[in-house]
Amino acid sequence: MKLLKVIGCLSLVLGLLRLVVDGPAVAAVDLKSADPLASCFRPAQIPLGAPVTLSNLGSGAQAASLSYITDQPVAFEPVDPRLRIRLRAMAGAAALPRGTLVRVASGEFTLAQGRARLRSGTGAGAMLLDAADPVRFGHAAKASYVVAIKPVQVAPPAPGAAARLLPAGSSGTVGLRSPVALQALQPIEVRPWLLGQRENIFPVRASGQRGLSDLAIDVRHPGIRFDPAALAMAGCAWSDSAPPVPAAVASLEGASPGAGKAQLAMPSELLPAFSAIVPQTVYVALASADGGYAGYGAFTAIDRGWAGVGATLLAALLLWGCLNARRGDEKSWSAWASGLFLDANSQPSLSLFQIFFWTLITVWGLIYVFIVTGELMNLTGTMLVLLGIAGTGTVAARFLSRGSTGAPAAPAVRAPATRTEVDFAALLSTNGTFDLLKLQLFVFTLLIGAFVVWRIADSGVFPELDTETLLLLGVSQGLYIGGKAAAPATGDAAEPGRPA
């Protein structure tokens, strides 16, 4: 009993440690992450004629201005009042020195290659404008912007004109220290820009038929309808040791206005097996194609390979404690190892072995899934059917072992040395003779059990077996029970000391 208490306390401590490492607090997205993260998302397109605003990329980022070239003569107004007065007084051409700041309220120009933060006219989330080719813009309605020009000669105002014009081909820079309202004169390719995005989602490692690589995420944002028909969503994931890689949004459901649930499929390279004993922090980002929604969070990823090893050790420790408590002073390893499925005659029982086998797999699965996800494994009807088939076989075997008077057969009187002679191979024998029906049931049980363990390791849930597979095991169990009924002696406990 002391050993079982120690095992119980150890399991409780390990469980608390698992909960402690879950859900790490993370800092806002920094420039080191934001730049490669933008390249991870699929590009979106700002359509022709869309009103936009441009600004710098954010604190610590470069590109406080973008170079430009005018595509046509552009009306301007000097920002410096003294220059405005001097130009009005001049009748002829005038030279504007380098760095002259002028305000522009019309005209078109081309931005040379550069990077800027862009917001669409709806005021949705920030996007990265990272133009590989020059991009054309025009002034936005009822908006003006300030540019710094290189030295240029401006002609006097045309008769009847109110302002001078910068000639086509004039060059300079557009300041981005404050937002600049413009109009896109061509479709523009942009990507989500999440610099400074704070943690607002809390991914949970999901277990289910799809696999342990899925994340369940609650998404919330006022005014957004989380419906795949109305919102295109994409995801990216990365860790401290791996760069951002795309993560597909497997499903998106709108739970209520402004709230929904997303299922994110994690890339396999971020959840490898037998790579790191220490838990890894995996970061996750979500963004809609229009930039209206952005989510960021992290979760603790425990290596599935080492989790399987840990679950095996804990299940073995629990089994060892139970066997040790039952064994008492027994010194025989074979009797000890089969102690949980011995019948009343101290011989291995195939029907009891099945219950032991499926119980052990279920215990291992519960421990494994808890280590990986921090939650209990989803139990399915298939598991209950398998336990039911094994339990039915055990109950039927015991009924067949009863005497003709209806009273249970008397258990064998066991001397202390009797258990040392337990032969595990007797599990497949009936009345000392090899039983092919038992072999069939034993092999089918092991094969289906191996598949179940593999699926639990892969998906974190007891798999849904098809009807034919369950029928196969049920028929084999029925033949086994029928064979016991037709045997010369009555079943598991027919003769003391004989194998079940």
Side-chain angles (χ1 to χ4, degrees):
M1 290 299 294
K2 290 183 178 180
L3 180 61
L4 293 178
K5 290 180 180 179
V6 171
I7 295 174
C9 292
L10 178 62
S11 301
L12 179 61
V13 170
L14 293 175
L16 292 176
L17 287 176
R18 176 61 184 86
L19 295 178
V20 167
V21 302
D22 206 10
V26 293
V29 178
D30 57 13
L31 185 61
K32 179 182 176 182
S33 299
D35 211 11
L37 184 58
S39 300
C40 172
F41 283 101
R42 296 192 301 267
Q45 194 173 79
I46 301 295
L48 169 68
V52 299
T53 57
L54 299 183
S55 60
N56 61 23
L57 291 178
S59 176
Q62 72 280 16
S65 61
L66 291 177
S67 299
Y68 81 93
I69 300 174
T70 57
D71 298 328
Q72 62 185 40
V74 175
F76 72 93
E77 179 185 6
V79 174
D80 186 346
R82 293 170 298 177
L83 182 57
R84 285 203 301 268
I85 295 173
R86 188 161 60 248
L87 285 175
R88 289 172 185 166
M90 295 177 63
L96 300 182
R98 175 183 297 274
T100 300
L101 296 180
V102 298
R103 190 176 303 277
V104 177
S106 64
E108 300 176 4
F109 63 91
T110 299
L111 290 179
Q113 296 180 5
R115 296 156 58 85
R117 181 166 51 180
L118 178 148
R119 290 182 182 272
S120 66
T122 59
M127 311 290 282
L128 173 65
L129 170 62
D130 192 0
D133 299 312
V135 181
R136 293 177 58 241
F137 284 99
H139 77 286
K142 301 180 180 179
S144 61
Y145 48 90
V146 175
V147 298
I149 62 172
K150 293 183 178 180
V152 64
Q153 286 283 119
V154 294
R164 298 180 184 244
L165 302 176
L166 291 178
S170 300
S171 61
T173 57
V174 179
L176 298 178
R177 291 173 179 82
S178 59
V180 178
L182 301 169
Q183 184 179 26
L185 299 180
Q186 67 181 64
I188 305 171
E189 188 176 279
V190 293
R191 299 173 186 267
W193 181 245
L194 302 183
L195 179 64
Q197 175 70 49
R198 298 189 177 277
E199 184 179 23
N200 61 348
I201 59 174
F202 303 93
V204 176
R205 194 125 175 224
S207 60
Q209 299 299 331
R210 291 178 177 173
L212 282 170
S213 59
D214 277 6
L215 297 182
I217 303 175
D218 287 330
V219 289
R220 298 179 181 276
H221 195 288
I224 290 184
R225 178 187 169 198
F226 291 98
D227 184 339
L231 189 68
M233 187 88 76
C236 288
W238 70 103
S239 67
D240 294 329
S241 58
V245 290
V249 177
S251 64
L252 180 64
E253 299 176 358
S256 60
K261 293 183 179 295
Q263 198 87 4
L264 194 68
M266 289 295 295
S268 58
E269 54 264 40
L270 290 177
L271 301 174
F274 295 109
S275 63
I277 299 179
V278 179
Q280 302 290 310
T281 300
V282 177
Y283 306 89
V284 176
L286 289 173
S288 58
D290 62 358
Y293 172 80
Y296 165 64
F299 70 97
T300 299
I302 296 180
D303 187 287
R304 288 191 295 175
W306 292 113
V309 171
T312 302
L313 293 176
L314 287 175
L317 180 63
L318 179 62
L319 174 63
W320 179 74
C322 295
L323 288 172
N324 196 67
R326 173 169 178 167
R327 184 177 80 153
D329 296 330
E330 179 58 60
K331 303 301 182 183
S332 168
W333 170 254
S334 61
W336 183 41
S338 57
L340 287 181
F341 48 91
L342 293 180
D343 63 8
N345 298 312
S346 298
Q347 293 299 318
S349 166
L350 181 57
S351 55
L352 292 177
F353 169 78
Q354 284 184 291
I355 292 182
F356 164 77
F357 183 70
W358 293 119
T359 300
L360 181 61
I361 288 179
T362 302
V363 170
W364 179 87
L366 288 170
I367 297 174
Y368 170 76
V369 173
F370 179 74
I371 292 176
V372 174
T373 68
E375 298 183 348
L376 292 179
M377 178 176 64
N378 292 331
L379 303 180
T380 66
T382 297
M383 184 202 71
L384 301 179
V385 172
L386 290 173
L387 288 174
I389 291 174
T392 300
T394 301
V395 173
R398 290 186 177 182
F399 269 108
L400 292 173
S401 298
R402 300 171 71 90
S404 58
T405 61
V413 178
R414 293 174 289 174
T418 303
R419 293 183 64 182
T420 63
E421 301 173 358
V422 171
D423 182 10
F424 185 80
L427 190 72
L428 303 180
S429 302
T430 299
N431 299 330
T433 304
F434 175 75
D435 193 331
L436 187 59
L437 295 177
K438 284 189 174 183
L439 175 64
Q440 182 193 66
L441 180 58
F442 181 74
V443 170
F444 287 166
T445 300
L446 291 184
L447 289 177
I448 295 175
F451 171 75
V452 168
V453 169
W454 177 75
R455 287 298 298 153
I456 291 176
D458 181 63
S459 63
V461 68
F462 210 96
E464 291 286 356
L465 300 179
D466 60 82
T467 305
E468 287 74 16
T469 301
L470 295 175
L471 185 61
L472 174 68
L473 193 61
V475 168
S476 183
Q477 183 80 288
L479 291 175
Y480 159 64
I481 298 301
K484 290 179 69 66
T490 53
D492 288 348
E495 296 181 22
R498 291 239 171 169

